[in-house]
Amino acid sequence: MILHIDMDAFYASASLIERPDLLGQPVIVGGAGRGVVLSATYEARRSGVSSGMPMGRARRLCPDAVVLAPDYDLYTQISGSIMHLFSQVTPLVEPISLDEAFLDVGGVCNGPESAAALGHELRDAVADEQGITCSVGVAPMKFVAKLASTSAKPDGLRLVRQDEVLDFLHPLPVEALWGVGASTQEKLHTLGLRTVGDIAHLPQRTLVRSLGQASGTTLHRLAWGHDERRVVPHEPERSIGSDETFGEDLDDPVLIKRHLLKLSDRVAARMRSAEVAGRTVVLKVRFSDFTTITRSRTLSEHTDVSREVYAVAAQLFDALGLQRARIRLVGVRVQGLTDRRLTSRQGKLGEREFGWQEADRAVDRASARFGAGIVRPASLVG
Amino acid sequence: MKLRVERDVLAEAVAWAVRGLSQRPPVPVLAGVLLEATEDGLTLSAFDYEVSAKVTVDADVEEPGTVLVLGRLLADISKSLPHKPIELVSEGSKVQVTCGSAKFSLQSMPTGEYPTLPENPEPTGVIGGDVFTQAVAQVSVAADRGDTLPILTGVRIEVQGNKLTLLATDRYRLAMREVLWNGGDENAEYAALVPARTLDSLAKALGAAGSVSLSLSGASTGSGLAGFEAGQRRMTTRLLDGDYPKVTSLFPTSVDTTAVVETAMLVEAAKRVSLVAERNMPVRLRFGDDAVRIEAGTGEDAQASETFEARIEGPELEIAFSPQFLLDGLGVVGTKYVRLGFTQPTRPAVLSGQDELDGEADDSYRYLIMPVRFAN
């Protein structure tokens, strides 16, 4: 059996650990000003707030909500403890993101009931140790387990036995299936297919004709509850990034680069505190009309140096050749992370023994002692 | 134009002249090779605005004249012709190539549009072809291949009387070779910065046989060119502009640990163990107890190590290098043994040649290599 465990409103619940006074109130975690909602408590969700929604809209829907800024270090730390807890139960833990994971408990449970019992234990353990709730789906295959945990939300557990899979699956809407995004959903709706059951009962050939070989075959198999994907224990493809939505759209490259510097600084500091270094720098730019582009460049060596991340981000920005286009949001992200202790650095002839890498660490120590932003690039002061 | 030339002579000359020609030249006429028939013989020229190559060969010239034909095409044709005399005749806008029973008719391009080749500047000195070729190969390996700092893509050649010093660095390693040449003026002091890639292929093109006349004063005379002549082969290249950084001071004044190892053994071992080094990961070397241990790979992946004899003086030392940078230096040192000098694992190491295990280091070539540092 497979467990899918998903934290309930993870960022919001985690942030509330440090603000118990806000328990029971609508709380939204998101960027200040014009950012987007990263997470919201169920109290806020009742007013219609959901993840990914622009903050402005969320505030209008739920004017009483308290808005908190995200604290990624805290989330990473809690996530690490939770994943560690899971790995005590079975080595087959596949983290999907900070707040969800698949566990293959076939080897440690005998039968669906014992898997469900284990699910309850884990839910209690997470609540006890971390003070946040999670929802668990228990099913014989991965995607059904995920759907089961969604249906159990919040703070619940749902067991779907082998002989219940089709009864559980077929009434669900088509978009519940993995791989059905907006465009596939539209195609399915034009074919008059609304539920998973509809897909299952359509001849596979018809489905392949309209969706193509790969996706047609896969959807048909999923609709009959076939999912051979195994739980692959691995480190999640990690990346560290930060976005910023401007108070008002900007078109001045000097100002925009200043924001890129700030974001690069923040991202690199988070990499250093997580003891990782990355090789690929990704720049995200969202224009005033909401079109969003990303550009990336891979370095020859891993880095966690603020200046180097910024240098690449600024190069990528310059390479866009924008003629004062109005920009709403920029983001800097570093991917291809690996354990910093495993990275090496080709020295340069004549370089100082202590370079920017050491300067960054000194800044980190100062920030740890006197508060973030105590030492920062001169162009960001004031 | 009408002339007769030996097949091997033409094939070799054309192949030599066009070897540097670009497949996609900036202007079409530069894809051509200029053939000039005079009473001195046949001169073939190619030019790409950066580098010019000119070679004169013996030919039986009946009617002097000048034509321009596609260089690579003529090279392919002459290579494929039978071993018989070749006749070249220009007829209107065509050039007829006849060799035995084979006949080719080539379109000639307008010679009027062909740029004037730079004259080879007056030679400032002479050097043995073998020494020159080796010195260039030893130094150009360390030149920068990127384009972040154009001056580092060059080899700096410093002239001090009868001494030539060749230098190149890409900031990770620095190669320096000192050679003697016949520079005429003993008080002369000047320098030239020659694009490394061009210099390397040019030195190979001129060959190790005989001697090479160099003209290196282009920066001071204002021609902006360096000239190279070996026998009937003449080449020019544009010099790079800019102030070359003062790099010779990067060589350490003294070293604490030295190791003498057999060059081939270290090359083989470095190649072997680097098979398990992930991209951008170094090979680690430990020098001590009259042995060198070289290893690569990490605990989570494949690992390899190899230990062999070395003559070591001074304290033990562990240091890591990019396998490529290490192999580059070992590959051009050209001696049976190699001497490595170290101060600290974070400071550059010096590599130089040595003929005998117990002999003296030959400091005419020094390759400075910056180690790789681990994060922890």
Side-chain angles (χ1 to χ4, degrees), chain B residues 22-262:
Chain B
S22 158
Q23 301 279 16
R24 280 174 295 280
V27 290
V29 285
L30 291 186
V33 58
L34 191 72
L35 307 177
E36 294 172 275
T38 63
E39 50 209 46
D40 295 335
L42 174 66
T43 301
L44 299 93
S45 316
F47 186 42
D48 67 358
Y49 290 138
E50 293 276 317
V51 182
S52 78
K54 199 181 250 197
V55 58
T56 305
V57 294
D58 286 334
D60 188 359
V61 178
E62 213 167 289
E63 270 174 43
T66 304
V67 293
L68 182 65
V69 292
L70 281 174
R72 287 189 185 280
L73 184 59
L74 184 63
D76 290 345
I77 290 172
S78 44
K79 198 166 59 189
S80 74
L81 288 174
H83 289 268
K84 286 180 179 158
I86 299 173
E87 195 179 58
L88 292 173
V89 181
S90 67
E91 284 171 13
S93 64
K94 298 278 184 185
V95 177
Q96 310 293 346
V97 181
T98 318
C99 178
S101 52
K103 260 190 185 359
F104 287 84
S105 179
L106 304 180
Q107 186 68 41
S108 68
M109 298 190 282
T111 51
E113 286 172 27
Y114 198 71
T116 313
L117 260 69
E119 279 296 315
N120 262 60
E122 205 51 36
T124 52
V126 180
I127 187 171
D130 51 346
V131 179
F132 182 63
T133 314
Q134 191 199 28
V136 168
Q138 286 181 324
V139 171
S140 56
V141 71
D144 201 347
R145 282 163 185 77
D147 51 6
T148 40
L149 209 50
I151 52 166
L152 294 189
T153 62
V155 169
R156 178 173 164 92
I157 309 179
E158 291 174 0
V159 180
Q160 276 175 302
N162 283 329
K163 194 176 83 174
L164 281 190
T165 305
L166 286 80
L167 276 167
T169 180
D170 62 0
R171 287 175 292 182
Y172 304 115
R173 56 259 169 86
L174 163 62
M176 180 164 118
R177 172 72 197 260
E178 291 170 330
V179 289
L180 293 177
W181 77 326
N182 185 357
D185 181 1
E186 282 193 16
N187 299 316
E189 237 177 84
Y190 51 90
L193 188 57
V194 189
R197 210 185 292 244
T198 309
L199 184 65
D200 191 40
S201 69
L202 172 154
K204 286 183 186 129
L206 292 172
S211 60
V212 181
S213 302
L214 311 181
S215 167
L216 298 170
S217 59
S220 44
T221 61
S223 73
L225 291 176
F228 306 84
E229 282 184 52
Q232 290 302 313
R233 297 170 168 185
R234 278 154 288 167
M235 299 183 83
T236 64
T237 175
R238 199 182 47 81
L239 293 173
L240 292 168
D241 273 338
D243 291 328
Y244 203 77
K246 303 263 176 292
V247 290
T248 39
S249 60
L250 292 170
F251 285 104
T253 45
S254 67
V255 293
D256 302 330
T257 302
T258 60
V260 180
V261 290
E262 209 180 307

Side-chain angles (χ1 to χ4, degrees), chain A residues 227-292:
Chain A
D227 179 15
E228 282 84 27
R229 279 170 293 193
R230 305 170 67 105
V231 172
V232 188
H234 72 99
E235 290 282 303
E237 167 53 31
R238 289 184 300 173
S239 70
I240 290 182
S242 186
D243 291 350
E244 182 168 20
T245 307
F246 304 136
E248 54 185 82
D249 294 349
L250 292 182
D251 62 3
D252 180 352
V254 174
L255 290 179
I256 292 167
K257 282 201 195 156
R258 211 168 281 170
H259 285 280
L260 289 178
L261 177 60
K262 184 164 74 183
L263 292 172
S264 304
D265 226 19
R266 191 184 294 164
V267 167
R270 269 170 51 202
M271 286 165 60
R272 293 192 293 273
S273 93
E275 304 222 317
V276 293
R279 271 188 65 200
T280 303
V281 178
V282 185
L283 168 76
K284 176 158 95 177
V285 174
R286 178 169 296 150
F287 297 100
S288 52
D289 64 356
F290 275 85
T291 51
T292 307

Side-chain angles (χ1 to χ4, degrees), chain A residues 44-362:
Chain A
R45 286 176 197 230
R46 269 199 288 280
S47 313
V49 175
S50 64
S51 304
M53 177 181 282
M55 286 302 283
R57 180 140 176 258
R59 280 170 198 276
R60 280 194 298 280
L61 286 169
C62 188
D64 303 334
V66 178
V67 176
L68 297 177
D71 180 350
Y72 292 99
D73 290 341
L74 174 70
Y75 307 151
T76 311
Q77 186 200 328
I78 295 179
S79 172
S81 314
I82 293 171
M83 295 301 165
H84 180 71
L85 174 70
F86 294 165
S87 67
Q88 306 285 298
V89 173
T90 167
L92 298 175
V93 177
E94 180 179 349
I96 301 300
S97 61
L98 282 180
D99 64 341
E100 60 178 306
F102 283 110
L103 279 67
D104 186 338
V105 295
V108 287
C109 295
N110 115 51
E113 276 70 26
S114 99
L118 182 64
H120 283 296
E121 278 174 37
L122 287 172
R123 273 171 36 74
D124 291 345
V126 170
D128 283 352
E129 291 180 15
Q130 305 298 336
I132 61 178
T133 64
C134 61
S135 299
V136 177
V138 187
M141 57 287 286
K142 271 171 103 173
F143 88 106
V144 179
K146 183 169 167 85
L147 292 172
S149 75
T150 309
S151 81
K153 272 187 174 297
D155 199 12
L157 180 141
R158 170 114 189 221
L159 166 65
V160 180
R161 295 178 183 79
Q162 181 69 54
D163 54 5
E164 299 165 348
V165 167
L166 295 183
D167 289 339
F168 170 73
L169 217 48
H170 283 182
L172 294 174
V174 287
E175 57 269 27
L177 291 183
W178 272 2
V180 179
S183 76
T184 313
Q185 182 188 344
E186 204 183 305
K187 277 186 205 158
L188 292 169
H189 283 185
T190 9
L191 291 173
L193 307 174
R194 298 278 159 182
T195 67
V196 177
D198 292 343
I199 296 182
H201 292 101
L202 193 75
Q204 189 178 329
R205 272 180 304 141
T206 319
L207 204 58
V208 165
R209 217 165 24 236
S210 101
L211 297 180
Q213 188 67 44
S215 130
T217 319
T218 314
L219 281 191
H220 201 257
R221 292 183 59 76
L222 288 179
W224 282 105
H226 295 295
D227 179 15
E228 282 84 27
R229 279 170 293 193
R230 305 170 67 105
V231 172
V232 188
H234 72 99
E235 290 282 303
E237 167 53 31
R238 289 184 300 173
S239 70
I240 290 182
S242 186
D243 291 350
E244 182 168 20
T245 307
F246 304 136
E248 54 185 82
D249 294 349
L250 292 182
D251 62 3
D252 180 352
V254 174
L255 290 179
I256 292 167
K257 282 201 195 156
R258 211 168 281 170
H259 285 280
L260 289 178
L261 177 60
K262 184 164 74 183
L263 292 172
S264 304
D265 226 19
R266 191 184 294 164
V267 167
R270 269 170 51 202
M271 286 165 60
R272 293 192 293 273
S273 93
E275 304 222 317
V276 293
R279 271 188 65 200
T280 303
V281 178
V282 185
L283 168 76
K284 176 158 95 177
V285 174
R286 178 169 296 150
F287 297 100
S288 52
D289 64 356
F290 275 85
T291 51
T292 307
I293 55 171
T294 60
R295 295 287 182 271
S296 67
R297 179 165 300 164
T298 299
L299 306 165
S300 59
E301 290 186 313
H302 286 84
T303 184
D304 61 2
V305 177
S306 299
R307 294 213 141 222
E308 292 176 0
V309 173
Y310 169 68
V312 181
Q315 273 171 26
L316 289 168
F317 182 78
D318 286 337
L320 293 175
L322 300 178
Q323 304 290 327
R324 301 196 83 89
R326 300 192 65 76
I327 292 173
R328 179 184 166 83
L329 165 151
V330 288
V332 174
R333 176 165 292 279
V334 179
Q335 300 173 341
L337 302 184
T338 107
D339 188 334
R340 200 177 71 83
R341 284 163 303 170
L342 298 178
T343 63
S344 58
R345 189 174 185 82
Q346 169 66 53
K348 280 193 186 132
L349 290 168
E351 74 186 353
R352 295 192 193 104
E353 188 89 359
F354 301 106
W356 288 111
Q357 203 163 14
E358 286 71 24
D360 275 350
R361 296 208 146 59

Side-chain angles (χ1 to χ4, degrees), chain A residues 8-65:
Chain A
D8 299 327
F10 179 56
Y11 289 1
S13 319
S15 294
L16 286 186
I17 296 174
E18 302 205 322
R19 291 292 302 273
D21 54 309
L22 296 176
L23 277 173
Q25 289 187 43
V27 173
I28 298 174
V29 174
R34 304 193 306 159
V36 295
V37 175
L38 295 167
S39 179
T41 57
Y42 284 86
E43 289 80 7
R45 286 176 197 230
R46 269 199 288 280
S47 313
V49 175
S50 64
S51 304
M53 177 181 282
M55 286 302 283
R57 180 140 176 258
R59 280 170 198 276
R60 280 194 298 280
L61 286 169
C62 188
D64 303 334

